[in-house]
Amino acid sequence: MNEAQLAAAHSLEHTSVIAPPGSGKTHTLVERCAHLANTFAGVRIINVTFTREAADEMQTRVARRVGASTPSIVSNTFHSLCKSRLVALKLLPERIIQSGYRSHLLRKITAEVAFKHKVNLKDGDAGVVVEQLKRFGINPTEYDPWKQDVLALYEKGLRDENCVDLSDLVLRYLKRLADGTIEPFRADFLHVDEYQDTDAGQLDFVLRHANSGCVTTIVADDDQAIYSFRASLGYQGVTQFEEQLNARRIILTTNYRSRAEIVESANALVAKNVGMRIEKHVHAERGQGGKVQVIGFAKREDEAAHVRMVLQANPYAGWAVIARNNADLILLQMELIVHGVPFVRLGPGLGDGEITAAFLSLLRASTQRPLNEQAIEYFLCALGAPMADAALLLAQESGALTDAVKSLRTHLGHPSRRSEKSDMDSWLASVGVIAEQMLASVNALYNPSPKAMMRRATQLDFVTNSLLRLNGSLLQRLALIEKGSNGDEPSVSDGRAVLLTAHASKGMEFPKVWIVQVSEGTLPSSESGANIWEERRLLFVAMTRAKDELYISYSDTKSAFIDEVQERG
């Protein structure tokens, strides 16, 4: 261990350990547990992480390091710790909402609120609102009426099913802690990993236990705070902890993961967040010998084709392809499928987008008898028709939409069953044209925003063209799109290229990383609510996954971030 790691491992006061990427933070925490266990007989330690996987890994590594004499050391998540105490004291009669039902509930709420308030909502918007408004200290009345409705409907849905969600676990625990119903966990030392991701409620949890006599160490990197949409506190949370507890700050400044060229480029980028970060002077233990390259393309299609050719030349080289959004990986995903390049997709498949999923269901309905009318209704809703209107629209006897639906029923009732690719392609192209006519009719009826119109048209065009690029029967083509990969079960250990978003890449590392679509409007995002500091941190996280080689590409207009990356001395 280096000097800073030893200081963090041996500290006996409230401590803030600032741990940049690749600085060995998990190793430091494990060694800290071992040191405390060897120094204090029967010491009680709680390690808090943000995921069950991280907690299990921590517990395994601690047990391996400390050995059979492992004292009372517990590794768990905030939510699991709170749940265990509430259940033990019979203060949690409800059950935890299942993820599948939660997704279903949020989809229903999205449709209802969008119709009632005449706002354009996409999948995921309601979930973000719930995350923000349910975090401790957030006052729902400060938000737009439609957001208040989202929360009210969500809470009603939970009550109707006698459920609570994960946020409720922390909130209820804190409430009972405040009114004296329960006492803080009995622990001598509390360690909180990835502390920059804590929200106000979790900060309250930490401070209450620290003030009850538990020596607390947080491990954080404010430069990797990328979850503001979940109300995480980031830099502010770290400084609040330090100020309220007069905590000692230790900065780990050695990167053991990446070559110097990568570390210098990433540091040059994130250093632009002046006044919004803790300054660090990180050096690369592995020294020079890496590669950082920026490549521009005229079009997205050119970028996807080029990356595919690079992966195709060496398909088991340990590549990761990282993008700002799931949608920015779709073109490449299709390129790899068509050309038979092995890869793993961590995240949504090609068929998970609303219009794509609805269109695929429509085509699958053509292979079944009788024809499933619900598939047509589902597709109509995906095109932008309110759920309450879909059945009425399908029952109309005249109009452009009625004509298109009649034509669609005819084509779906007589699918091409021939083996020739040209016959199947002709049938698919015809269905695609009819789908475009339906989209135009829905746009004329409901006048959505230009952005929504463009998004739906682009998705429809993409799924049609993707199917036309494939070979085989209709069911074979649908299976390839729905599976979203041409390999076996996902694995990131066999060298295949891994496709994932920057958010999903956090905590991972790869020999070679290619970050696509670092283009103006994509990274940084042009979506409302996105802030330049967090967007810069998101690119920083993606860059620091690379060990030896890093490629950054853009199409059309390059992001301003690219100039910042290239400013390294």
Side-chain angles (χ1 to χ4, degrees):
M1 298 180 75
N2 61 43
E3 185 177 342
Q5 289 175 322
L6 281 171
H10 294 176
S11 177
L12 297 178
E13 59 188 306
H14 297 314
T15 305
S16 168
V17 180
I18 308 303
S23 59
K25 68 180 181 67
T26 304
H27 173 66
T28 302
L29 271 180
V30 171
E31 289 301 313
R32 175 171 174 77
C33 289
H35 171 73
L36 294 173
N38 292 329
T39 304
F40 304 103
V43 68
R44 296 166 299 183
I45 302 172
I46 296 178
N47 298 315
V48 183
T49 67
F50 274 83
T51 67
R52 180 72 259 168
E53 293 78 13
D56 291 343
E57 180 187 358
M58 178 68 72
Q59 194 71 16
T60 298
R61 291 179 63 169
V62 167
R64 186 184 303 128
R65 176 66 179 84
V66 177
S69 60
T70 303
S72 179
I73 302 178
V74 175
S75 302
N76 220 327
T77 65
F78 278 110
H79 300 121
S80 293
L81 284 169
C82 294
K83 178 185 176 183
S84 65
R85 179 60 61 85
L86 292 169
V87 169
L89 297 176
K90 302 188 185 320
L91 297 174
L92 188 68
E94 304 95 334
R95 56 193 175 87
I96 309 298
I97 188 171
Q98 296 295 314
S99 59
Y101 177 71
R102 185 176 188 272
S103 298
H104 170 71
L105 176 61
L106 289 171
R107 282 195 297 270
K108 285 178 59 179
I109 291 170
T110 298
E112 184 173 339
V113 170
F115 179 71
K116 176 181 176 181
H117 292 270
K118 308 301 180 188
V119 291
N120 181 36
L121 300 180
K122 60 180 182 294
D123 279 355
D125 285 350
V128 170
V129 169
V130 168
E131 289 276 358
Q132 292 175 337
L133 270 61
K134 289 205 71 170
R135 298 296 183 175
F136 188 78
I138 301 295
N139 182 1
T141 61
E142 297 175 3
Y143 286 80
D144 296 334
W146 74 264
K147 292 185 177 181
Q148 296 178 42
D149 262 8
V150 166
L151 182 60
L153 290 168
Y154 180 74
E155 291 296 317
K156 181 180 183 301
L158 291 179
R159 289 194 301 272
D160 290 346
E161 296 294 322
N162 193 35
C163 287
V164 294
D165 67 7
L166 294 179
S167 294
D168 289 319
L169 298 176
V170 178
L171 298 180
R172 189 172 298 185
Y173 175 84
L174 290 172
K175 182 179 179 180
R176 297 296 189 177
L177 205 59
D179 66 20
T181 306
I182 59 179
E183 296 180 352
F185 286 98
R186 291 185 177 181
D188 303 301
F189 296 91
L190 173 66
H191 304 149
V192 184
D193 195 12
E194 300 287 357
Y195 182 84
Q196 73 277 356
D197 295 336
T198 53
D199 59 29
Q202 292 157 344
L203 170 62
D204 189 25
F205 177 104
V206 172
L207 293 177
R208 285 181 182 275
H209 286 82
N211 288 323
S212 72
C214 185
V215 177
T216 301
T217 296
I218 64 168
V219 180
D221 182 13
D222 53 303
D223 288 334
Q224 296 186 75
I226 56 175
Y227 294 110
S228 65
F229 61 91
R230 295 180 184 167
S232 62
L233 297 173
Y235 171 78
Q236 290 84 355
V238 175
T239 55
Q240 283 183 58
F241 171 86
E242 293 176 341
E243 291 167 2
Q244 294 194 40
L245 296 176
N246 193 26
R248 175 187 183 187
R249 177 188 288 177
I250 298 172
I251 302 179
L252 307 184
T253 58
T254 303
N255 181 304
Y256 295 97
R257 174 188 299 158
S258 307
R259 291 288 186 179
E261 294 85 351
I262 296 168
V263 172
E264 291 165 7
S265 295
N267 289 347
L269 170 75
V270 81
K272 296 295 182 180
N273 282 349
V274 179
M276 294 293 294
R277 65 185 293 265
I278 296 169
E279 187 175 355
K280 312 166 188 72
H281 301 283
V282 180
H283 68 276
E285 176 70 13
R286 297 179 63 212
Q288 300 286 327
K291 183 176 184 179
V292 177
Q293 185 173 347
V294 174
I295 307 174
F297 297 92
K299 298 183 299 182
R300 286 176 177 242
E301 291 81 2
D302 297 337
E303 179 188 50
H306 184 85
V307 176
R308 181 261 302 166
M309 287 188 288
V310 171
L311 301 186
Q312 195 170 19
N314 195 355
Y316 292 93
W319 281 98
V321 182
I322 302 176
R324 169 65 177 83
N325 306 303
N326 282 304
D328 296 316
L329 291 168
I330 289 177
L331 273 175
L332 175 60
Q333 203 168 346
M334 196 64 231
E335 275 283 323
L336 299 178
I337 290 174
V338 169
H339 291 274
V341 182
F343 71 97
V344 175
R345 177 70 171 96
L346 300 185
L350 283 173
D352 289 342
E354 185 178 14
I355 284 183
T356 301
F359 190 67
L360 296 181
S361 294
L362 200 64
L363 296 177
R364 190 171 289 281
S366 73
T367 67
Q368 302 164 349
R369 292 294 175 268
L371 184 65
N372 184 359
E373 286 289 321
Q374 286 186 334
I376 301 177
E377 188 173 324
Y378 172 35
F379 183 61
L380 204 57
C381 292
L383 295 178
M387 191 177 298
D389 292 2
L392 296 174
L393 291 173
L394 291 176
Q396 288 181 349
E397 296 183 359
S398 62
L401 181 59
T402 300
D403 292 342
V405 171
K406 287 180 179 178
S407 181
L408 179 66
R409 286 195 179 102
T410 299
H411 275 75
L412 295 180
H414 298 87
S416 174
R417 297 186 182 277
R418 299 185 183 181
S419 59
E420 291 84 352
K421 177 175 170 59
S422 58
D423 291 333
M424 178 58 68
D425 287 353
S426 176
W427 181 81
L428 282 169
S430 296
V431 175
V433 169
I434 296 167
E436 291 173 0
Q437 293 170 352
M438 291 176 65
L439 177 60
S441 297
V442 171
N443 287 340
L445 286 170
Y446 296 99
N447 192 28
S449 68
K451 186 175 182 179
M453 291 172 63
M454 177 63 71
R455 175 171 53 85
R456 289 164 182 157
T458 301
Q459 289 180 9
L460 188 56
D461 181 66
F462 176 78
V463 67
T464 303
N465 287 328
S466 296
L467 287 161
L468 290 171
R469 293 182 67 187
L470 296 171
N471 295 312
S473 67
L474 176 61
L475 290 178
Q476 288 171 333
R477 299 187 197 200
L478 293 178
L480 275 175
I481 296 287
E482 290 166 345
K483 186 177 181 182
S485 174
N486 52 21
D488 299 321
E489 289 302 309
S491 168
V492 295
S493 61
D494 61 5
R496 280 183 291 169
V498 179
L499 276 57
L500 70 171
T501 65
H503 283 100
S505 74
K506 191 163 175 284
M508 305 181 78
E509 61 180 41
F510 303 90
K512 302 179 180 183
V513 168
W514 196 305
I515 309 173
V516 296
Q517 280 303 297
V518 187
S519 309
E520 204 60 37
T522 300
L523 187 57
S525 172
S526 58
E527 293 285 337
S528 63
N531 73 69
I532 194 71
W533 300 281
E534 181 153 331
E535 292 294 298
R536 192 177 278 116
R537 291 194 294 268
L538 194 57
L539 178 55
F540 172 79
V541 167
M543 293 175 67
T544 53
R545 302 310 97 196
K547 297 169 68 175
D548 301 308
E549 297 182 24
L550 172 64
Y551 298 80
I552 301 173
S553 60
Y554 64 92
S555 62
D556 193 15
T557 305
K558 71 177 180 180
S559 166
F561 289 165
I562 287 180
D563 290 335
E564 298 174 2
V565 166
Q566 295 177 315
E567 284 182 17
R568 65 186 178 92

